[in-house]
Amino acid sequence: MQTQHEPSFRIRTASVARSRGDLRILDVRDDLSRVTRANGEVVGYVDRVDVAGGTAYRARRYVPTERRFVEFPNVWSADDAVDCLRWG
């Protein structure tokens, strides 16, 4: 008797959240994190990008009045990318 293996979806049962200063970081996917303030306001996103030298991180700040994102230059650490949103 043959059995077919159907693709299985991996659903996280718990979100991975952490904070840096006054910002809260919530992992949306393995390569994407949402950065918010304590009141839930979205500050932006940090995503992992593959570059020639390895892995870099890109911060994108959300500008609600213009309804768009502003990209910061790539950095080598996820914490530095969050700091771009925190201080930039």
Side-chain angles (χ1 to χ4, degrees), residues 13-81:
T13 56
S15 299
V16 178
R18 57 200 178 284
S19 61
R20 185 153 174 88
D22 59 341
L23 299 179
R24 182 180 163 115
I25 303 135
L26 176 68
D27 291 339
V28 178
R29 296 187 317 238
D30 290 337
D31 62 344
L32 180 69
S33 298
R34 180 184 304 121
V35 181
T36 62
R37 298 194 193 286
N39 65 2
E41 174 189 0
V42 174
V43 176
Y45 290 88
V46 172
D47 57 336
R48 187 177 60 223
V49 292
D50 294 323
V51 294
T55 301
Y57 297 87
R58 174 180 50 204
R60 294 177 291 143
R61 175 182 291 284
Y62 181 63
V63 183
T65 56
E66 299 175 12
R67 296 183 186 193
R68 69 180 184 103
F69 288 92
V70 175
E71 278 188 26
F72 288 89
N74 293 347
V75 292
W76 295 110
S77 140
D79 288 338
D80 289 346

Side-chain angles (χ1 to χ4, degrees), residues 5-16:
H5 295 285
E6 294 185 23
S8 62
F9 295 101
R10 292 185 178 186
I11 299 174
R12 287 191 191 143
T13 56
S15 299
V16 178

